[in-house]
Amino acid sequence: MKNEEENNLVKEPYTEYGRYTYADYLTWEIDHMVELIKGKVFRQAAAAPRRIHQEVSGRIFAKFYTHLERKECKVYAAPFDVRLPVKSRKHEDITTVVQPDICVVCDPEKLDDLGCVGAPDLIMEILSPSNNKKELQNKYEVYEESGVLEYWIIHPYEKTLLFYTLTDRKYVPSKLFTLGDRVPSHCIEGFVLDLDELFEGME
């Protein structure tokens, strides 16, 4: 009986080696958020995001929510699973599952009870001291490969924003935006992010 119980326990995923799928991901019972990028596990910090991260995320979500009200596009904030399939939508074939800080999905067929399966139209990631490499390198690659139309990166401590637009299946970077700039989206019609408003009162 004891051996049977041990075999039924969900094991902690290894980050050093191994290749996992969304089917594995669904079985894990762990206290902190993890993401899968091409089968490799990336753990989030055990502590909650810092206050400025939460303020920036909340303000952007509120602006998107108001802008998209009564429209087909929907906005979601982390934690929200985005599965990026390559071969098929089967759980055992998906090896990339991410939780973007903000994402906008305009195709309702990509939404199900578990989140989003397929590339959102727009993804925003808010940098923190511990996740810059993952956002700037690993996620850049999978977002480009999977067809995310716009990938926005916000640095809340430097009060800057850079975004990539998918052109001929490759990302083209914008200029670096900062205070005083108003940043329009090319894929979400009419959406403009005013950086003075976004960072007002933040130290």
Side-chain angles (χ1 to χ4, degrees):
M1 178 65 73
K2 182 178 180 181
N3 288 338
E4 183 178 344
E5 289 177 355
E6 289 177 350
N7 289 335
N8 288 333
L9 291 175
V10 177
K11 292 184 178 180
E12 187 87 359
Y14 291 103
T15 56
E16 302 300 325
Y17 57 89
R19 181 176 172 84
Y20 300 95
T21 69
Y22 184 58
D24 298 315
Y25 176 95
L26 289 174
T27 69
W28 296 334
E29 295 180 1
I30 49 183
D31 295 331
H32 49 273
M33 190 175 81
V34 300
E35 295 177 301
L36 276 180
I37 298 178
K38 296 184 177 180
K40 184 177 179 182
V41 176
F42 288 82
R43 299 174 186 270
Q44 299 290 74
R50 296 188 181 186
R51 177 184 57 81
I52 191 170
H53 179 287
Q54 296 296 76
E55 286 192 26
V56 169
S57 177
R59 290 181 185 186
I60 293 172
F61 180 86
K63 186 168 180 62
F64 264 122
Y65 186 86
T66 300
H67 180 75
L68 297 174
E69 199 168 9
R70 293 186 294 277
K71 295 180 182 177
E72 189 169 56
C73 297
K74 304 294 181 185
V75 62
Y76 299 93
F80 179 77
D81 282 348
V82 173
R83 289 156 280 156
L84 299 175
V86 175
K87 293 189 300 182
S88 79
R89 292 187 171 200
K90 293 180 180 178
H91 291 351
E92 60 269 25
D93 290 333
I94 295 174
T95 58
T96 296
V97 186
V98 292
Q99 295 196 11
D101 290 311
I102 301 285
C103 68
V104 179
V105 182
C106 295
D107 182 354
E109 293 189 1
K110 292 182 178 179
L111 297 172
D112 61 18
D113 288 343
L114 297 174
C116 175
V117 56
D121 294 76
L122 183 148
I123 281 178
M124 285 190 178
E125 298 285 8
I126 302 164
L127 298 182
S128 65
S130 63
N131 70 358
N132 289 7
K133 181 179 178 181
K134 182 177 68 171
E135 313 302 351
L136 295 176
Q137 180 179 339
N138 299 312
K139 285 189 174 181
Y140 173 100
E141 293 174 0
V142 294
Y143 291 165
E144 182 181 62
E145 291 170 2
S146 63
V148 176
L149 298 179
E150 286 184 12
Y151 174 29
W152 293 39
I153 299 172
I154 297 173
H155 198 310
Y157 299 98
E158 296 182 1
K159 297 182 173 61
T160 61
L161 185 155
L162 175 74
F163 70 84
Y164 296 92
T165 304
L166 197 65
T167 305
D168 296 327
R169 301 175 66 180
K170 292 291 183 182
Y171 273 148
V172 177
S174 69
K175 73 169 190 175
L176 186 66
F177 294 94
T178 188
L179 294 175
D181 289 325
R182 301 179 77 250
V183 186
S185 169
H186 299 291
C187 69
I188 307 300
E189 185 178 357
F191 182 82
V192 178
L193 187 63
D194 187 317
L195 296 190
D196 282 348
E197 292 181 0
L198 177 63
F199 294 116
E200 182 179 5
M202 291 188 188
E203 297 297 336

